[in-house]
């Protein structure tokens, strides 16, 4: 006798997926074209048709903790060929957004970041914190003389905010990823897809090393045909963020260990890396916007709040960073200092909400891709 399965539909899940950009999920009539055309779907238990069925039925346990949902790179080849306009690429994207919220710790932070009605609160929190701290330190004025951002927003104050914030991100990611990894392993065992019973962390970390080249080259994207343009945008954004990460750490060492305070010359190699990364980020995010608008026009992908809020956040971050520098070099303190304030608000948002926003997919997908190789579903490079 075939195995029986007790179906417990979660109607709220269906509503949430629709609100997160998967509003077309009910159009699917299960023809399986999407699973056939997907360039990275495996032959055994292919996706995304089975996820479309689970989404229509509101089967939470078939979606949250589902490895395949994270192996999808949202290239939208499936959506382009779907005869019903059900946009399976967007539905899987909505499932990922829902999963990030479900794995969030603390859960209220995930709920707040996913709620389109709370965007003002997300921006309001850093504004309030900064105003209180600057006011308490007597810094709520435009300093005289040569423009130095540290005169307005002391470096110690910046670090007093961002160092604890970095720790918070690490703990939040740690909890979320542990829950996620436990779930995908449990589900893979239940499905009979896990080739290994144990979840051996040192082995898992070794597998991560062999997964890294695929991630750094974004090789999965090059398998797409419909949306090849996304490759360049993603590569630019990823390497620009890596560049800015390096710059932040080098400046931290320069300031606290080598005792070399800024501002630094524009010809300083690290400053050049910062500027090149900033330009790369701007070009990357503008390409993303252009690609998304094209997808919208072609009805291949609509994108939702989760996608657009991150794009706007990165755009705000890079524009205010560039304008802070330009107005400082042009000696316009009345614009440079307020611009720097707004820039720090965007930096705060990107940091504080990282484990709960779309950017968290960087970490979740990395774990999923590593697990896929760890469980011998895919070979290591
Ligand atoms: S999402 Fe579209 S292509 Fe995939 S099974 Fe449903 S109707 Fe067919
Ligand atoms: S969006 Fe691309 S990777 Fe994801 S299921 Fe569709 S075809 Fe496959």
């Amino acid at each position: 006798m075939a195995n029986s399965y007790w179906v417990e539909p979660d109607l709220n899940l269906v509503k949430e997926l629709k609100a997160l950009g998967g509003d077309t999920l009910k159009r699917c009539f299960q023809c399986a074209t999407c699973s056939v055309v997907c360039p990275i779907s495996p032959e055994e238990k292919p996706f995304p048709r089975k996820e479309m069925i689970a989404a229509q039925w509101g089967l939470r346990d078939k979606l949250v903790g589902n490895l395949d949902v994270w192996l999808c790179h949202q290239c939208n080849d499936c959506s382009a060929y779907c005869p019903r306009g059900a946009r399976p690429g967007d539905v899987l994207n909505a499932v990922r957004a829902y999963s990030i919220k479900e794995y969030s710790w603390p859960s209220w932070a995930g709920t707040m970041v996913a709620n389109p009605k709370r965007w003002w609160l997300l921006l309001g929190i850093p504004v309030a914190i900064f105003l209180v701290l600057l006011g308490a330190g007597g810094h709520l004025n435009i300093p005289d003389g040569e423009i130095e951002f540290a005169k307005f927003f002391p470096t110690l104050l910046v670090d007093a905010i961002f160092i604890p914030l970095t720790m918070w991100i690490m703990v939040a990611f740690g909890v979320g990823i542990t829950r996620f990894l436990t779930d995908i392993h449990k589900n893979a065992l239940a499905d009979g897809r896990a080739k290994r019973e144990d979840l051996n962390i040192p082995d898992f970390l070794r597998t991560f090393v062999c997964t890294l080249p695929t991630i750094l080259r974004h090789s999965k994207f090059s398998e797409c045909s419909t949306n090849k343009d996304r490759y360049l945008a993603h590569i630019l954004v990823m390497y620009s963020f890596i560049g800015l990460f390096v710059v932040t750490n080098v400046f931290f060492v320069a300031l606290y260990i080598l005792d070399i305070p800024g501002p630094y010359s524009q010809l300083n190699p690290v400053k050049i890396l910062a500027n090149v990364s900033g330009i790369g980020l701007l070009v990357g995010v503008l390409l993303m916007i252009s690609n998304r608008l094209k997808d919208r026009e072609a009805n291949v992908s609509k994108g939702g709040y989760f996608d657009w809020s991150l794009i706007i956040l990165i755009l705000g971050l890079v524009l205010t960073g560039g304008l802070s520098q330009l107005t400082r070099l042009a000696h316009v303190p009345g614009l440079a200092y307020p611009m720097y304030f707004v820039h720090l608000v965007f930096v705060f948002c990107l940091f504080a909400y990282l484990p709960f926003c779309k950017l968290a997919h960087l970490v979740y997908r990395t774990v999923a891709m590593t697990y896929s190789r760890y469980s011998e579903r895919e070979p290591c490079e």
Side-chain angles (χ1 to χ4, degrees):
M1 199 176 87
N3 286 341
S4 57
Y5 177 72
W6 185 257
V7 176
E8 288 183 82
D10 180 342
L11 297 182
N12 273 336
L13 167 70
V14 179
K15 264 194 224 154
E16 283 203 51
L17 291 180
K18 285 180 167 185
L20 287 165
D23 52 308
T24 44
L25 67 90
K26 290 282 183 187
R27 291 192 197 163
C28 170
F29 63 177
Q30 299 159 25
C31 67
T33 306
C34 48
S35 295
V36 174
V37 298
C38 173
I40 56 177
S41 181
E43 282 183 17
E44 196 188 323
K45 302 201 175 176
F47 60 87
R49 176 185 173 253
K50 63 183 186 327
E51 285 71 22
M52 290 300 288
I53 298 172
Q56 285 185 319
W57 279 82
L59 304 181
R60 188 188 173 283
D61 60 326
K62 295 278 177 199
L63 295 172
V64 177
N66 176 336
L67 180 71
D68 292 350
V69 166
W70 293 92
L71 299 182
C72 159
H73 280 57
Q74 210 188 349
C75 67
N76 289 321
D77 280 7
C78 55
S79 298
Y81 285 96
C82 172
R84 294 277 294 163
R87 298 203 307 263
D90 274 3
V91 174
L92 259 60
N93 189 40
V95 174
R96 287 189 290 273
Y98 181 86
S99 304
I100 289 174
K101 180 173 78 71
E102 288 291 285
Y103 287 120
S104 289
W105 180 91
S107 57
W108 58 262
T111 308
M112 189 175 73
V113 174
N115 188 343
K117 291 182 184 151
R118 294 278 179 271
W119 67 266
W120 57 271
L121 188 59
L122 301 179
L123 285 174
I125 289 171
V127 170
I129 293 174
F130 292 176
L131 286 178
V132 167
L133 292 176
L134 288 177
H139 287 282
L140 274 181
N141 53 359
I142 304 287
D144 293 328
E146 192 73 15
I147 301 177
E148 280 180 37
F149 291 129
K151 287 200 289 194
F152 169 64
F153 215 122
T155 312
L156 267 180
L157 187 57
V158 173
D159 292 336
I161 295 168
F162 285 95
I163 292 174
L165 211 51
T166 307
M167 290 174 186
W168 140 277
I169 294 166
M170 287 164 74
V171 174
F173 260 133
V175 175
I177 289 302
T178 305
R179 289 173 175 170
F180 174 58
L181 191 53
T182 309
D183 268 6
I184 53 176
H185 184 58
K186 194 178 75 189
N187 290 341
L189 282 174
D191 269 7
R193 280 194 283 170
K195 299 276 187 300
R196 304 177 55 152
E197 281 287 322
D198 62 327
L199 188 50
N200 183 307
I201 297 303
D203 273 1
F204 187 81
L205 293 176
R206 271 192 284 279
T207 316
F208 167 68
V209 176
C210 83
T211 311
L212 212 47
T214 311
I215 296 167
L216 293 177
R217 287 202 296 263
H218 266 45
S219 359
K220 291 286 175 191
F221 264 104
S222 44
E223 291 174 34
C224 300
S225 56
T226 304
N227 217 339
K228 272 202 180 304
D229 298 350
R230 294 189 70 198
Y231 173 79
L232 179 60
H234 270 77
I235 280 282
L236 273 171
V237 169
M238 184 178 81
Y239 280 101
S240 301
F241 270 129
I242 292 175
L244 292 172
F245 177 75
V246 171
V247 168
T248 308
N249 283 291
V250 171
F251 283 153
F252 189 85
V253 171
L255 182 63
Y256 289 109
I257 298 176
L258 305 175
D259 199 20
I260 311 171
Y264 305 101
S265 154
Q266 295 298 321
L267 297 176
N268 181 313
V270 187
K271 193 79 182 176
I272 292 173
L273 176 62
N275 289 334
V276 169
S277 303
I279 293 168
L281 197 55
L282 180 62
V283 175
V285 80
L286 289 177
L287 275 175
M288 275 184 179
I289 293 173
S290 149
N291 292 341
R292 288 199 173 270
L293 292 177
K294 271 194 260 167
D295 284 352
R296 212 169 229 268
E297 217 173 279
N299 205 24
V300 169
S301 170
K302 208 171 82 179
Y305 171 71
F306 215 57
D307 302 70
W308 284 104
S309 55
L310 176 65
I311 287 176
I312 290 166
L313 185 58
I314 298 177
L315 188 62
L317 177 91
V318 72
L319 286 179
T320 53
L323 287 171
S324 303
Q325 265 211 74
L326 290 176
T327 48
R328 180 176 72 80
L329 294 172
H331 304 287
V332 192
L335 287 178
Y337 288 114
M339 194 55 71
Y340 184 61
F341 181 94
V342 179
H343 179 61
L344 286 184
V345 169
F346 280 114
V347 177
F348 181 101
C349 289
L350 197 74
F351 258 71
Y353 311 137
L354 185 61
F356 319 109
C357 74
K358 162 103 184 190
L359 207 52
H361 81 277
L362 276 177
V363 178
Y364 282 92
R365 180 167 290 137
T366 298
V367 171
M369 288 172 73
T370 305
Y371 185 84
S372 181
R373 285 159 181 78
Y374 174 82
S375 62
E376 297 172 28
R377 188 148 181 248
E378 287 179 82
C380 260
E381 287 200 14

